Amino acid sequence: RRRCVYMKRGATASAVSGTKRPKAAADPPSERAPVARDAGILSAAAVRALASDLDALPTHVEGCVRLLAEGHTVPFIARYRQPETGGMAPPLLRRIDAASRDAASLAARCDAVVAALRKTDRLTAQLEAALRAAPTLAALEDVYAPHKSKPCSLAERARALGCEPAAQAMWRATIDDSGLSQALRAAAAGSGARSSEGGTEAALREGTQKVLAEMTARSPAVREAARGALRRCALVKCTAVAGKLSGSGSGGAGAASSKKASTATAAAVASGG
């Protein structure tokens, strides 16, 4: 009689007998249709360096890059694509994802720089090769910096007055002060420039300084040396600012201190003056 009651209520025979039907093996859930994204093409050297850094095989790194380019997510790849990635953990996959995105950004920026230089007829084969070989965005900007056009800058105005030959000679250290004066007088005679502040030679000397300042700021070697000095000697100072955040709570001293707003100011401390 109890069996009949259960059957009328729609219970299965397995439920009546107390036995449980074994669950079928779960298939990997199908992702939503992956959306392919623009992924940077990692060079063979970059793949080898990344594989060495992650202690993985280059083929596994390339497989991960391919899966990411197809639009698969990191959790999906870590769980259901282990044979293609060598079973790499999600943190390692995210590092490969970040490297791929950086490569895509670098390629896009390089294409934009090459197009801008080609438009102004300042692109040469050697310059394009140097731009394509830049490993990072910072290195790319260093190569591009000397060729940027700034028509309204003070240095460009000084070049229009004829200050660039003297600046180039000073940059190569092939001229002394007397030679500089002669070069400036020759430039003044050629351009016919006049200055209301100290005469023609003084104005051209000041213009030469502006050209040298721009050449220094755009020099890749100087920029890299400045970054290296900041990495070695940079000092970050944090000052707590009271009253920026409101609210009360009984979270202890650690929680109270975490509620204080702070502002950070980075100051470069140059060694040796």
Side-chain angles (χ1 to χ4, degrees), residues 65-161:
V65 172
R66 179 179 55 79
L67 291 171
L68 290 168
E70 292 173 358
H72 298 289
T73 61
V74 168
F76 182 86
I77 295 173
R79 186 168 184 180
Y80 300 111
R81 295 294 184 268
Q82 294 184 8
E84 300 178 51
T85 63
M88 283 189 286
L92 303 184
L93 297 177
R94 290 190 182 94
R95 290 180 61 180
I96 297 176
D97 188 18
S100 178
R101 292 179 184 274
D102 291 344
S105 300
L106 178 62
R109 177 58 179 162
C110 185
D111 291 339
V113 168
V114 169
L117 291 174
R118 184 177 289 115
K119 186 177 180 180
T120 56
D121 295 331
R122 285 178 294 164
L123 183 67
T124 62
Q126 294 81 3
L127 179 56
E128 184 174 3
L131 291 170
R132 299 291 183 188
T136 61
L137 280 173
L140 176 65
E141 294 298 335
D142 288 345
V143 177
Y144 178 44
H147 306 279
K148 287 183 179 179
S149 60
K150 294 183 179 180
C152 296
S153 67
L154 296 176
E156 289 296 331
R157 296 176 185 175
R159 287 188 178 94
L161 295 177

Side-chain angles (χ1 to χ4, degrees), residues 192-216:
R194 292 295 181 269
S195 173
S196 60
E197 299 179 0
T200 302
E201 184 177 342
L204 293 178
R205 186 180 293 269
E206 182 180 355
T208 303
Q209 293 174 356
K210 296 185 184 304
V211 175
L212 281 172
E214 185 181 85
M215 293 172 61
T216 303

Side-chain angles (χ1 to χ4, degrees), residues 18-41:
T19 60
K20 295 183 179 180
R21 178 181 294 178
K23 294 183 179 180
D27 295 331
S30 59
E31 271 193 320
R32 296 178 180 177
V35 179
R37 63 178 176 86
D38 293 335
I41 300 176

